[in-house]
Amino acid sequence: VFSSFVVRKIMVHKVEQMKLADSRVKLTNELLNGVRIVKAYGWEEPFEREVMKIRTAETKSITKQSTILSLLIVVILTS
């Protein structure tokens, strides 16, 4: 019962992480495709902030996922 709860939590965070990664990659691709326009108008910093905001959220999701997985492993090994 506990392990199924933990696995569900891990999957929720994995889905969240994948969505964040997709949005980060999409934004990065848009940035690379329009690099001349971004440079011409000086939009480097706003794009960087947006990419870093998404990356920070993605990293937090990965950390939560890893913490939950570690907890599951500890519970299984100590049982």
Side-chain angles (χ1 to χ4, degrees):
V1 176
F2 177 73
S3 61
S4 64
F5 169 76
V6 173
V7 169
R8 274 184 277 158
K9 280 293 203 183
I10 290 171
M11 291 307 297
V12 166
H13 289 295
K14 184 66 175 173
V15 168
E16 176 187 357
Q17 180 235 331
M18 289 170 59
K19 287 179 183 177
L20 290 166
D22 286 346
S23 63
R24 180 179 49 83
V25 168
K26 180 182 175 190
L27 183 60
T28 302
N29 283 337
E30 288 176 13
L31 176 63
L32 291 173
N33 287 333
V35 73
R36 287 183 184 203
I37 294 169
V38 170
K39 287 292 218 177
Y41 288 101
W43 293 339
E44 296 97 335
E45 289 183 20
F47 269 99
E48 180 183 4
R49 281 193 299 269
E50 189 64 27
V51 170
M52 290 308 296
K53 183 173 76 173
I54 295 169
R55 179 65 184 136
T56 300
E58 184 182 356
T59 303
K60 285 181 183 178
S61 180
I62 292 169
T63 303
K64 288 177 187 176
Q65 182 182 345
S66 298
T67 303
I68 293 169
L69 182 59
S70 298
L71 176 65
L72 177 62
I73 291 170
V74 166
V75 169
I76 289 172
L77 291 177
T78 59
S79 297

